[in-house]
Amino acid sequence: MAQYRNRKSANRRKKKSGPSPLVPLLIIIALIVVAFFALEMVKRKAPEKVEVQPPAAERHRLPPRPVETPPVQKALSTAAQPVAPPVKPQPKKIVGSGNVAIIIDDMGTSVQEVRELMAIKVPLTFSIIPGLARVKEVDAEAHAKGYQVMVHMPMEPQGYPRQRMEQNGLLLSQSDTEVSQRVNDYFRAVPHAAGANNHMGSRFTEDKAKMRVVLGILKGKGVFFVDSKTSPRSLGYPLARGMGIETASRDVFLDNVQDSAAIRRQLDQLAAMARKNGGAIGICHPHKATIQTLAAALPEMKKQGITFVSASELVR
């Protein structure tokens, strides 16, 4: 019994002398601290993820746009959206405007010619040579449709008589009385004439005395005179102005060359002069190529700003 009590007492002393309960707790805390410290070190050593930026040129580059397709506003949804209509090319703008008078010389042979020309539906002036076969009919038809009529007075050209002219023409060899009589006959043949211009006359219009006789008759009738300028030395225009007659000079011959392209170039020149000066007078003849070109070109010129007028509108 005493031995048992001694053993039990020894066991109690062993229990009292064992390790303290705080030690394991401290160990656990230390292990946790070490673990956190190790984890932090691992994080610091890991490489950071860097966002790779494209070069500046790549960042600002726009997607290419087709060069052959015009930019058209596209719909933003499948719902109906207004689509901009394709842009129509604008016609070339013609700067300024001008008045153009076109005198058709050598009329009086055919009524069909005057009808074809009137069908263009722009004001034209018909200058009729007295003595031709259909003078009365052409004069009456043109006047009835509201077109202006003139007398195309035959006058002596350079080189006469080798250079032919009408038998009823005006010659330098004629007396003033005969010249006056013939001019009066012209207006009897073309009763609706509002004015006159010279047919040929490159020699006659250079003669001051004879031109005074002719212009004196015109002044007495109250009609205007257009100098066809068949000679650069013509005295018709300055004499008429000096005598107080309403007058003007031809600016462009349109159909010296019987070719549509050439006539069109002359018409362009005439239009340019009209825009620059306010008005211009062109002279042509009832040739087939001329009529066809006028029919195609004059309505187009009208749309471009040219105003067609009778010859009397451009005399001063």
Side-chain angles (χ1 to χ4, degrees):
M1 187 71 178
Q3 188 177 1
Y4 173 76
R5 283 195 297 265
N6 289 337
R7 193 181 300 125
K8 189 174 181 180
S9 175
N11 288 337
R12 280 198 295 265
R13 285 196 298 267
K14 286 181 181 180
K15 288 181 182 179
K16 289 180 180 179
S17 62
S20 173
L22 291 177
V23 173
L25 179 62
L26 292 175
I27 293 172
I28 293 171
I29 292 173
L31 290 174
I32 292 172
V33 171
V34 170
F36 274 107
F37 179 77
L39 181 63
E40 187 67 22
M41 291 300 293
V42 169
K43 286 184 178 181
R44 289 182 182 180
K45 291 182 180 180
E48 294 184 2
K49 184 179 179 180
V50 180
E51 183 180 357
V52 179
Q53 295 290 336
E58 293 292 333
R59 291 199 302 271
H60 298 289
R61 183 181 300 166
L62 296 176
R65 189 176 71 185
V67 294
E68 294 184 354
T69 304
V72 179
Q73 184 178 357
K74 295 182 179 180
L76 298 178
S77 70
T78 56
Q81 297 286 339
V83 179
V87 179
K88 294 181 179 180
Q90 295 298 318
K92 183 179 179 182
K93 287 188 176 181
I94 305 297
V95 179
S97 183
N99 296 323
V100 166
I102 296 181
I103 300 173
I104 315 294
D105 278 355
D106 297 357
M107 298 297 293
T109 300
S110 166
V111 176
Q112 182 61 29
E113 289 172 348
V114 76
R115 288 173 179 167
E116 290 178 6
L117 287 161
M118 289 190 297
I120 301 173
K121 302 296 183 183
V122 301
L124 297 170
T125 302
F126 300 109
S127 195
I128 303 172
I129 298 177
L132 296 183
R134 311 298 293 273
V135 168
K136 292 289 186 182
E137 296 168 76
V138 171
D139 170 69
E141 182 133 359
H143 178 73
K145 298 291 177 59
Y147 288 82
Q148 194 164 79
V149 175
M150 297 171 60
V151 170
H152 199 29
M153 301 181 295
M155 293 180 173
E156 183 178 340
Q158 298 288 352
Y160 177 83
R162 180 170 43 84
Q163 174 69 46
R164 297 177 58 189
M165 63 171 290
E166 286 71 21
Q167 293 183 351
N168 62 344
L170 306 178
L171 301 174
L172 294 178
S173 59
Q174 295 166 351
S175 66
D176 292 352
T177 301
E178 186 173 1
V179 169
S180 297
Q181 182 178 346
R182 290 197 175 200
V183 174
N184 281 307
D185 288 343
Y186 297 160
F187 282 88
R188 280 190 284 270
V190 189
H192 298 109
N197 69 327
N198 55 292
H199 168 55
M200 305 179 79
S202 55
R203 176 179 290 171
F204 194 96
T205 58
E206 293 178 0
D207 190 281
K208 186 175 183 179
K210 292 300 183 186
M211 282 301 297
R212 279 191 177 276
V213 175
V214 173
L215 293 172
I217 302 298
L218 301 186
K219 184 175 182 179
K221 294 182 179 296
V223 299
F224 62 85
F225 173 71
V226 174
D227 192 341
S228 301
K229 294 290 287 186
T230 54
S231 167
R233 295 184 295 275
S234 173
L235 300 173
Y237 175 74
L239 282 175
R241 284 190 64 86
M243 295 171 65
I245 300 170
E246 288 190 324
T247 187
S249 289
R250 178 271 311 163
D251 293 296
V252 180
F253 274 126
L254 299 176
D255 58 353
N256 282 343
V257 177
Q258 281 298 293
D259 173 76
S260 181
I263 296 169
R264 188 60 184 265
R265 286 193 295 270
Q266 294 299 95
L267 284 168
D268 290 341
Q269 181 184 351
L270 183 66
M273 294 181 70
R275 293 188 182 100
K276 179 180 179 181
N277 303 323
I281 296 176
I283 289 180
C284 59
H285 307 83
H287 303 305
K288 183 177 180 180
T290 302
I291 295 174
Q292 291 175 346
T293 305
L294 294 180
L298 300 194
E300 181 181 336
M301 292 170 65
K302 188 176 180 180
K303 291 179 181 178
Q304 293 173 347
I306 292 298
T307 300
F308 292 97
V309 298
S310 299
S312 60
E313 297 295 319
L314 297 185
V315 298
R316 298 289 183 269

